[in-house]
Amino acid sequence: MTTSGPPSGTLPEQQVRAMFDRIASVYDVMNSVMTAGLHHRWRARAADLARVGPGDRVLDVATGTGDLALELMGRVVPGGEVVGSDFSDGMLALARRKARRLAAQGRPVPRFEWGDALRLPYGDDEFAASTVGFGARNFSDLQRGLAEMARVVRVGGRVVVLEITTPTRAPLSTFYRLWFDRVVPLLGRLAGDPDAYSYLPDSVKRFPPPHDLAAAMAAVGLVDVRWILTAGGIIALHAGTKAA
């Protein structure tokens, strides 16, 4: 199996990590502004596609501030566990802060820990599912990241990828270009980090379209790979099952 894949970012791994450390404090606010709050709904759909239930153990890769991991937690109680893994200490600090607030209310929460998506610190077949929400396009080697997500999932388990994609039909394609090429960088300047929010549209443009991502998932041993387009074709949710 080759570890080469379509380029999914515009910065080396160390620079991507530093960028997410810098923007951690504004990340959730910017997500809500850029998606009109709909990103929570998309994460809920991704959690549904993981097909996990009480007692299952799930890994959320590139967990960021932990929203998808928190969504998954509601699917695996009682008795289950969610691990949220990320290589940005800044993002993990915010995810752990959310978890502490919820734990203080008596709610079960994920465990958040440092991990590199290209070298996951977990054994083979440890999880019922692995997910990534808006993080796959930041993998410096997409194929390797997908292979790692598949490796740690048991046979019959699910791998789910939630990502922004590029719509091809007008008028949404025109609006999309205006939004990502003009408005998002402007929001980044207002947030104090124009480089980070110029990187975002570039990373989306370089990310493979849905059929190519499905092929990449199949290449790492996933079967029955399917995808759903939502939000007028701006959001793609892919899911596949690990073959024996």
Side-chain angles (χ1 to χ4, degrees), residues 9 73 79 101 110 126 139 149 188 196:
M73 196 73 219
R101 286 199 301 265
E126 280 196 33
F139 293 170
M149 291 180 68

Side-chain angles (χ1 to χ4, degrees), residues 176-189:
Y176 177 92
R177 286 193 299 272
L178 175 64
W179 181 253
F180 274 92
D181 291 344
R182 303 285 184 85
V183 178
V184 169
L186 175 60
L187 291 173
R189 286 195 293 274

Side-chain angles (χ1 to χ4, degrees), residues 94-118:
L94 290 179
R96 289 169 180 146
R97 189 181 306 165
K98 290 179 183 179
R100 286 194 296 270
R101 286 199 301 265
L102 294 173
Q105 300 169 18
R107 293 174 58 179
V109 294
R111 185 174 81 249
F112 293 108
E113 54 192 31
W114 194 96
D116 186 335
L118 304 188

Side-chain angles (χ1 to χ4, degrees), residues 1-8 59 61-62 116-120 124-125 127 129-154 157-163 207-223 225-226 236-243:
M1 181 187 67
T2 179
T3 58
S4 64
S8 52
L59 174 67
V61 176
D116 186 335
L118 304 188
R119 293 167 287 274
L120 291 173
D124 297 351
D125 310 315
F127 298 94
S130 63
T131 63
V132 59
F134 305 115
R137 70 178 182 278
N138 300 310
F139 293 170
S140 59
D141 185 330
L142 176 61
Q143 202 76 11
R144 182 171 175 177
L146 293 173
E148 280 290 274
M149 291 180 68
R151 178 184 65 79
V152 300
V153 169
R154 69 192 183 203
R158 302 276 280 175
V159 173
V160 178
V161 180
L162 164 63
E163 261 302 350
F207 198 69
H211 59 279
D212 286 347
L213 179 57
M217 294 174 70
V220 301
L222 301 174
V223 298
V225 179
R226 303 189 180 188
L237 298 104
H238 284 69
T241 302
K242 184 173 178 177

Side-chain angles (χ1 to χ4, degrees), residues 43-133:
R43 286 186 170 92
R45 293 192 71 178
D48 290 341
L49 290 173
R51 296 181 185 170
V52 292
D56 281 334
R57 190 166 185 244
V58 186
L59 174 67
D60 184 42
V61 176
T63 195
T65 61
D67 284 343
L68 181 50
L70 290 166
E71 186 69 42
L72 287 159
M73 196 73 219
R75 308 298 203 280
V76 302
V77 291
E81 179 186 32
V82 176
V83 177
S85 173
D86 204 285
F87 72 174
S88 165
D89 290 321
M91 291 289 189
L92 286 171
L94 290 179
R96 289 169 180 146
R97 189 181 306 165
K98 290 179 183 179
R100 286 194 296 270
R101 286 199 301 265
L102 294 173
Q105 300 169 18
R107 293 174 58 179
V109 294
R111 185 174 81 249
F112 293 108
E113 54 192 31
W114 194 96
D116 186 335
L118 304 188
R119 293 167 287 274
L120 291 173
Y122 311 106
D124 297 351
D125 310 315
E126 280 196 33
F127 298 94
S130 63
T131 63
V132 59

